[in-house]
């Protein structure tokens, strides 16, 4: 009888997850948010609208993007776009 690869695949996923966390010092979900927010800051400072940036960095709704951005940086994306943000550019304080 043929065996499924489930136990072996599960072990590989755990190893990859552990290695990713060791290399990035964060889990994949946290890294993805960090990458999206970093990209968003660049777009916002170039003058893109919040709704355009939300779509470009992978959010289906602007309201979700605004909530995640504010949780990550302590400021709204609109403040960053207006050039008034200092904390949004200091993402290292958010990521341990």
């Amino acid at each position: 009888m043929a065996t499924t690869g489930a136990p072996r695949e599960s072990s590989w996923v755990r190893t990859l997850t552990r290695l990713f966390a060791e290399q990035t010092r964060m889990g994949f979900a946290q890294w993805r948010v960090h990458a999206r927010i970093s990209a968003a800051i660049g777009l916002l400072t170039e003058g893109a609208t919040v709704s355009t940036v939300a779509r470009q960095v992978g959010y289906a709704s602007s309201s979700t993007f605004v909530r995640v951005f504010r949780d990550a940086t302590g400021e709204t994306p609109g403040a960053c776009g207006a050039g008034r943000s200092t904390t949004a550019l200091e993402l290292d304080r958010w990521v341990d």
Side-chain angles (χ1 to χ4, degrees), residues 26-48:
M26 62 185 90
F28 178 75
Q30 187 180 16
W31 173 84
R32 183 177 56 196
V33 168
H34 183 267
R36 285 175 165 178
I37 298 300
S38 295
I41 289 170
L43 294 167
L44 289 164
T45 57
E46 291 173 1

Side-chain angles (χ1 to χ4, degrees), residues 9-93:
E9 290 173 16
S10 150
S11 173
W12 190 87
V13 169
R14 283 192 306 270
T15 299
L16 182 59
T17 300
R18 181 181 48 79
L19 290 172
F20 187 90
E22 286 174 7
Q23 293 295 313
T24 62
R25 296 185 354 214
M26 62 185 90
F28 178 75
Q30 187 180 16
W31 173 84
R32 183 177 56 196
V33 168
H34 183 267
R36 285 175 165 178
I37 298 300
S38 295
I41 289 170
L43 294 167
L44 289 164
T45 57
E46 291 173 1
T49 65
V50 171
S51 59
T52 298
V53 172
R55 283 190 310 275
Q56 287 183 342
V57 299
Y59 288 92
S61 79
S62 295
S63 60
T64 301
F65 169 67
V66 169
R67 181 183 50 77
V68 171
F69 191 97
R70 187 176 45 238
D71 289 349
T73 67
E75 298 187 18
T76 64
C80 181
R84 296 186 306 264
S85 175
T86 56
T87 58
L89 300 176
E90 299 172 5
L91 287 176
D92 289 338
R93 74 174 175 81

